Amino acid sequence: MDADAKSRIEVGIDAGGTFTDVVCFRDGRPVGITKVPSTPADPSVAILEAMAHLERQWNIPPSDVELFAHGTTVATNALIERKGGCVGLLATEGFSDVIEIGRQMRRHLYEVISTAETPVFLAPGRRRRGVTERIASDGSVLVPLDENSVRIAARELVDEGVDSIAICFLFSFLYPAHENRARDIVAAEYPELKISISSEIDPTFREYERTVVTAFDAYVKPVIDSYLGRLEYELKAAGVANEPKIMQSRGGMSAVSVARQRPVQLFLSGPAAGVVGAAEAGKWVDTGDLISVDIGGTSSDIALISGGRPTLRSEGEIEGYPVRVNMVDVSTIGAGGGSLAWLDEAGGLRVGPRSAGADPGPACYGRGGDQATVTDASIVLGYLNPEYFAGGSIDLEPERAFGVIRGTIAEPLGFSTERTAQGIHRVVNAQMAEAIRLVSTRRGYDPRRFALVALGGAGPVHATALADELGITKIIVPRNPGVLSAMGLLIAPIEHEVTMSLQRDLVDLSPSAVGAALDDLDTRCHQLMEAEGVLTSDTEVRHLADVCYIGQSYHLEVPLHLDDTAPLERLYRDFKIVHDRIHGHATDAPVKIINLRSVHSLGRDDDLTAGGATSERRDSLKEYRSVLFADADEPQRTAIHERERLAPAVQIDGPAIIEQPDTTTIVPAGWRAIVQDSLDLIVLKSATS
């Protein structure tokens, strides 16, 4: 390389509930990784501390950073903590209560006291207004838009104190003229208000779901707009010249300025990055069918990757409410290293969903935590080295872990501290295994055909126990699993999607008609990509259709190949294959297309190198210590290895533990760890075990 050529510095920062993970690459090669404690009250504080670390430890000033990629839980936390904006809802007159009525389905049929299962908190009755207007399903105007009624409704909502307005009119997903005009009126009268309209947020049918996702967008928009605006300002002030990128729920990156227009797409920003990183880790060892298990401090995020691509779902669920946004199919449970162990009223052992979080953290952190956590149990079992946790940057106090488990759980149950710690692991592992079944078995996939990718700080600690539970025989532990989500931010493509409702029987459609509709979607995608500074000629274009049998209530997403000689016939065949896999049957009955979707993406033109392979063999054995494994009756003398000293082709038979700064890999008896050329670990189940 020319000595005068400037290096390309890329930084990925994933802000989690307990730690904020940082990775830095120079010209595709790793510079370093680190973790800093998260600052939940203001995540940008930890991010700026991470940027200071770059300059302090690695001599990389912010002005040298060419790509800053970010994953965040701000949108999700705003919802969970009920700290979003004050939303007003404008709907077609007579339909303003759709968000409260919801659907007839109830999740808890036998509750003695019925509780609301619709997100009424987004826009309670006093903050909902009907607007005089009505467009029919064929586009005819039954009632012209009364612009004065829009002004009156907006004025009343402003008097109620709203800072954000959601607009959702009947059939606006097909004919958005009234919504567009209503938005313009409100914006002209109250330019300080944030406005979300359903024809842009979710232009598809089903009034309740469309209203909910539009209201959610309006709810998080003030929070996200403030956070991203502040972050962009502070990064620019620090010297970062280029606009930051942020991870979207479907696993693609977007410029911050574009993401602020539709923040509802950021609900799974952090977890999606981990899935992208897991998919890339599979490529490093030539494996495309994977189940990623991202176990952090407060939660576990589990996803299925088929053929190298994460599986997506067209409707997610946040806090039990439907959020109709295409997102990586991640199952999230409140089970992580910081999850609290507790006894229920019947004296049964429970783990999570409550967490010790970053402050005070587990008892062994010595920061005031007085309840037992999974991390405390890992200390008691001998899994974690108190002197080498987070590479030695965090001093653990093992006596506190023993004391809190003994006093709060073991003594009330009448068990030893060690057996109680073992029970804590068994309970949390059972919860995680069930979450894995949710994204595999219940989606028509046999988990035994997949490799498990262990990521997150606690992923490799639990991976073999989970694999044993599910019959999985192969585990991938990437080079730096504790920060793989942050690495996924740098790997992910820049991506945008646009959807339109079609609602046509397949037999009534021609390839040219479908092509014309997709041309319109492609044009809108081109505009979004151009806003990112991406040339149209560089993008990969994918087309998808939501298809169902005529009379069915719910659809399935199927790839649409217009370049095929008979694209609609192929779509029909592919739909039946997907239907059979998901539902266990398929027929030759007629189908209809519900929605069309265009996805444009720009991937990297080079590969990030996870770790530099070395032929140097050094003695990786550090010591031996007594470890009580998950299903063992007695502690075992276990070899402790340093991962940084492992060279390609080295094999380590269990029982063993492999330590590194960002995680610890557990290798029980009956398992073998093999170091790959990429320095990733493959952990295999012995055929005789």
Side-chain angles (χ1 to χ4, degrees):
M1 187 176 81
D2 189 337
D4 296 327
K6 186 177 180 180
S7 298
R8 176 178 172 83
I9 302 295
E10 300 172 295
V11 176
I13 297 184
D14 178 46
T18 305
F19 288 103
T20 293
D21 300 335
V22 186
V23 298
C24 180
F25 281 76
R26 176 186 280 115
D27 296 328
R29 304 286 295 181
V31 174
I33 65 171
T34 191
K35 287 174 174 281
V36 298
S38 293
T39 50
D42 184 359
S44 64
V45 173
I47 292 171
L48 292 176
E49 170 57 29
M51 296 302 290
H53 180 93
L54 293 180
E55 188 164 16
R56 192 169 54 243
Q57 300 295 324
W58 302 328
N59 196 31
I60 296 177
S63 57
D64 285 356
V65 177
E66 186 169 337
L67 172 63
F68 179 94
H70 180 35
T72 179
T73 58
V74 169
T76 305
N77 291 343
L79 171 59
I80 293 173
E81 298 170 10
R82 301 293 191 265
K83 293 182 179 179
C86 183
V87 178
L89 175 64
L90 298 182
T92 302
E93 194 169 43
F95 291 84
S96 58
D97 293 331
V98 164
I99 195 170
E100 185 164 355
I101 296 170
R103 296 290 179 193
Q104 66 178 352
M105 296 87 74
R106 294 193 61 80
R107 296 175 179 273
H108 308 290
L109 294 176
Y110 303 107
E111 281 187 341
V112 176
I113 300 175
S114 180
T115 55
E117 295 191 7
T118 55
V120 182
F121 71 92
L122 292 173
R126 68 181 183 279
R127 299 206 304 264
R128 301 197 295 261
R129 295 292 185 277
V131 171
T132 303
E133 70 85 34
R134 186 71 178 266
I135 294 180
S137 60
D138 60 0
S140 59
V141 178
L142 301 179
V143 179
L145 177 67
D146 185 338
E147 297 189 356
N148 194 46
S149 76
V150 175
R151 294 187 178 91
I152 293 172
R155 187 182 313 124
E156 292 174 350
L157 291 175
V158 169
D159 289 342
E160 287 286 344
V162 306
D163 54 15
S164 184
I165 285 183
I167 303 176
C168 190
F169 294 158
L170 287 182
F171 294 107
S172 58
F173 61 93
L174 292 173
Y175 309 102
H178 284 184
E179 274 195 359
N180 290 334
R181 179 56 186 151
R183 175 189 55 191
D184 294 344
I185 292 170
V186 175
E189 296 276 339
Y190 305 100
E192 73 282 1
L193 288 180
K194 307 299 180 187
I195 303 173
S196 301
I197 64 174
S198 72
S199 54
E200 291 184 353
I201 302 303
D202 182 29
T204 55
F205 86 123
R206 287 201 177 92
E207 201 68 14
Y208 169 64
E209 287 80 4
R210 185 160 53 91
T211 302
V212 168
V213 73
T214 306
F216 270 128
D217 188 82
Y219 185 70
V220 301
K221 186 169 282 185
V223 177
I224 289 293
D225 191 69
S226 174
Y227 169 67
L228 292 182
R230 184 172 65 254
L231 178 64
E232 189 173 12
Y233 172 81
E234 290 173 344
L235 288 173
K236 190 173 183 179
V240 178
N242 293 333
E243 183 179 9
K245 304 289 186 184
I246 192 163
M247 173 64 72
Q248 301 177 87
S249 298
R250 65 170 292 117
M253 301 300 294
S254 166
V256 162
S257 59
V258 178
R260 288 166 71 177
Q261 299 172 21
R262 194 182 170 194
V264 75
Q265 291 183 317
L266 304 181
F267 269 134
L268 284 186
S269 174
V275 181
V276 172
E280 188 70 12
K283 294 178 183 177
W284 296 332
V285 294
D286 197 26
T287 303
D289 292 334
L290 310 160
I291 295 174
S292 67
V293 183
D294 184 354
I295 306 175
T298 58
S299 63
S300 297
D301 301 314
I302 298 160
L304 187 138
I305 300 161
S306 180
R309 284 188 181 273
T311 57
L312 303 178
R313 53 180 168 175
S314 57
E315 181 177 299
E317 187 178 282
I318 306 293
E319 286 286 280
Y321 304 120
V323 181
R324 200 163 57 181
V325 173
N326 261 342
M327 57 179 64
V328 174
D329 190 2
V330 174
S331 176
T332 300
I333 61 172
S339 294
L340 299 176
W342 52 284
L343 300 178
D344 61 21
E345 294 178 356
L349 176 61
R350 302 293 187 91
V351 180
R354 293 174 297 165
S355 172
D359 186 18
C364 60
Y365 281 18
R367 298 175 183 168
D370 58 2
Q371 292 179 272
T373 68
V374 175
T375 296
D376 293 312
S378 297
I379 288 286
V380 170
L381 294 173
Y383 291 169
L384 303 182
N385 182 351
E387 298 177 358
Y388 194 60
F389 189 74
S393 63
I394 299 177
D395 293 326
L396 299 186
E397 301 177 20
E399 66 279 1
R400 292 184 181 273
F402 278 86
V404 74
I405 291 178
R406 181 186 309 112
T408 63
I409 308 292
E411 290 179 352
L413 289 177
F415 293 120
S416 69
T417 304
E418 292 77 8
R419 288 298 179 199
T420 302
Q422 196 177 43
I424 291 171
H425 263 255
R426 286 175 176 173
V427 170
V428 78
N429 288 339
Q431 295 173 182
M432 294 175 188
E434 184 58 29
I436 292 174
R437 293 186 183 98
L438 185 65
V439 301
S440 57
T441 307
R442 297 188 186 182
R443 301 284 194 273
Y445 296 97
D446 183 350
R448 294 171 297 182
R449 296 194 301 103
F450 290 76
L452 204 63
V453 182
L455 60 147
V461 174
H462 297 268
T464 49
L466 294 174
D468 277 330
E469 174 75 15
L470 296 158
I472 294 173
T473 59
K474 182 178 182 180
I475 299 169
I476 300 169
V477 183
R479 185 72 185 88
N480 297 114
V483 294
L484 194 64
S485 290
M487 187 176 294
L489 296 167
L490 301 180
I491 296 167
I494 297 173
E495 188 170 85
H496 288 286
E497 74 165 271
V498 178
T499 301
M500 69 171 291
S501 181
L502 193 64
Q503 304 282 336
R504 295 278 299 278
D505 292 355
L506 190 64
V507 294
D508 295 335
L509 286 169
S510 65
S512 59
V514 174
L518 289 173
D519 285 343
D520 178 60
L521 296 180
D522 287 338
T523 298
R524 291 156 63 188
C525 275
H526 289 328
Q527 293 170 350
L528 290 170
M529 296 297 280
E530 287 173 356
E532 305 270 5
V534 175
L535 296 177
T536 300
S537 58
D538 294 336
T539 59
E540 175 193 357
V541 178
R542 288 182 291 130
H543 296 138
L544 305 136
D546 293 330
V547 186
C548 68
Y549 286 115
I550 294 175
Q552 267 187 322
S553 297
Y554 291 91
H555 52 257
L556 297 171
E557 183 180 85
V558 184
L560 180 55
H561 304 276
L562 279 182
D563 55 351
D564 195 273
T565 54
L568 300 187
E569 288 82 353
R570 178 175 176 179
L571 178 70
Y572 182 58
R573 292 194 304 271
D574 291 346
F575 165 73
K576 290 195 293 182
I577 293 171
V578 174
H579 195 282
D580 182 66
R581 176 174 58 78
I582 298 295
H583 299 297
H585 66 92
T587 73
D588 293 329
V591 304
K592 67 185 302 182
I593 294 180
I594 305 298
N595 306 307
L596 291 177
R597 187 172 297 111
S598 178
V599 181
H600 290 214
S601 59
L602 175 69
R604 294 183 62 93
D605 56 7
D606 62 337
D607 293 325
L608 290 179
T609 303
T614 174
S615 59
E616 181 183 357
R617 287 180 178 270
R618 292 176 290 170
D619 185 8
S620 63
L621 183 63
K622 297 165 63 174
E623 61 177 337
Y624 288 90
R625 69 169 175 257
S626 179
V627 176
L628 180 60
F629 291 93
D631 294 324
D633 294 327
E634 299 293 336
Q636 295 175 279
R637 185 172 184 264
T638 302
I640 311 300
H641 294 266
E642 174 63 56
R643 185 164 182 180
E644 290 297 321
R645 300 177 183 174
L646 296 176
V650 167
Q651 299 186 19
I652 297 175
D653 291 321
I657 287 179
I658 302 171
E659 296 181 342
Q660 61 188 96
D662 58 324
T663 193
T664 298
T665 302
I666 306 299
V667 187
W671 289 83
R672 170 180 291 177
I674 305 172
V675 185
Q676 306 299 294
D677 289 341
S678 61
L679 295 185
D680 299 291
L681 284 179
I682 298 291
V683 186
L684 299 175
K685 180 78 169 178
S686 170
T688 59
S689 63

